[in-house]
Amino acid sequence: RDFFAFCTSLTRPELRTIGELSWVRHLNEGEILYRPRDPGTALFIVNRGEIEVVPQGSVEKATRLVRGQVVGDVEAFSEVPRIHLVRSPGGASLQCFPRANFHQLVRSVPSFFRYLCEQMAFQIVHANDQAKILEDHAPLSGRISHFDLTTVHQTIANAGQTGQLSIKDEQAETIGAFYFEAGRPSAGQFEHLT
């Protein structure tokens, strides 16, 4: 559930405390909230608009976060520098929770931190699921001089992949191909042998 659905479970004094210990940050179109290596001194919850989390040095595409979603929590809790670029593609309003106020928030509104823990756990599960999907579809490649045949076979069998293993010579000409279904060899050809 998003932050605003969570807020419906809070009492008036708890809502007032959250309001007193946080502030609103407005971003214009294209404005950057933070960059990699910036200090992780606060977490943010999207009030209005959307923000874009851009992974640095990765093949992953940017993630868009909308009303009620949390960003910057991992760095704020772990006190490490930011690892992503976060910007607003079309303007946004964010609720800012400075790390300096966490101690008072946890005493006054303990359910807020339980909510944040649930959100971080969901993100971890989602990231693991996405990594598994990418891993299942990632092509395997390497130089045969670095591996023996047993290692190659075990890698394919353990990955449970379906596809073709091509063997190429020094001129990148295919001299063999082995076909696997769910990690099991189903057919193969090496030079003139099938």
Side-chain angles (χ1 to χ4, degrees), residues 76 80 122-123 128:
V80 298
F122 174 77
Q123 289 174 18
N128 286 341

Side-chain angles (χ1 to χ4, degrees), residues 10-105:
L10 299 176
T11 64
R12 285 189 190 274
E14 289 173 324
L15 286 169
R16 187 171 33 259
T17 299
I18 283 179
E20 291 169 355
L21 297 175
S22 66
W23 50 277
V24 177
R25 167 92 188 262
H26 298 287
L27 297 175
N28 295 319
E29 182 178 335
E31 188 174 348
I32 293 174
L33 178 63
Y34 57 77
R35 292 177 169 80
R37 295 181 296 287
D38 283 354
T41 57
L43 66 86
F44 303 88
I45 298 174
V46 181
N47 287 336
R48 178 187 52 80
E50 67 180 16
I51 58 171
E52 189 174 52
V53 180
V54 183
Q56 298 298 297
S58 174
V59 295
E60 296 176 55
K61 63 180 184 172
T63 302
R64 297 230 174 178
L65 300 179
V66 295
R67 180 177 163 83
Q69 291 187 290
V70 182
V71 67
D73 46 348
V74 173
E75 298 97 341
F77 281 116
S78 61
E79 298 184 38
V80 298
R82 302 295 187 185
I83 56 175
H84 301 318
L85 172 77
V86 176
R87 64 184 172 215
S88 175
S93 173
L94 308 167
Q95 198 71 27
C96 173
F97 292 87
R99 184 173 57 226
N101 294 347
F102 285 1
H103 184 70
Q104 191 172 351
L105 269 168

Side-chain angles (χ1 to χ4, degrees), residues 29 57 67-68 190 192 194:
E29 182 178 335
R67 180 177 163 83
F190 185 77
H192 66 283
T194 58

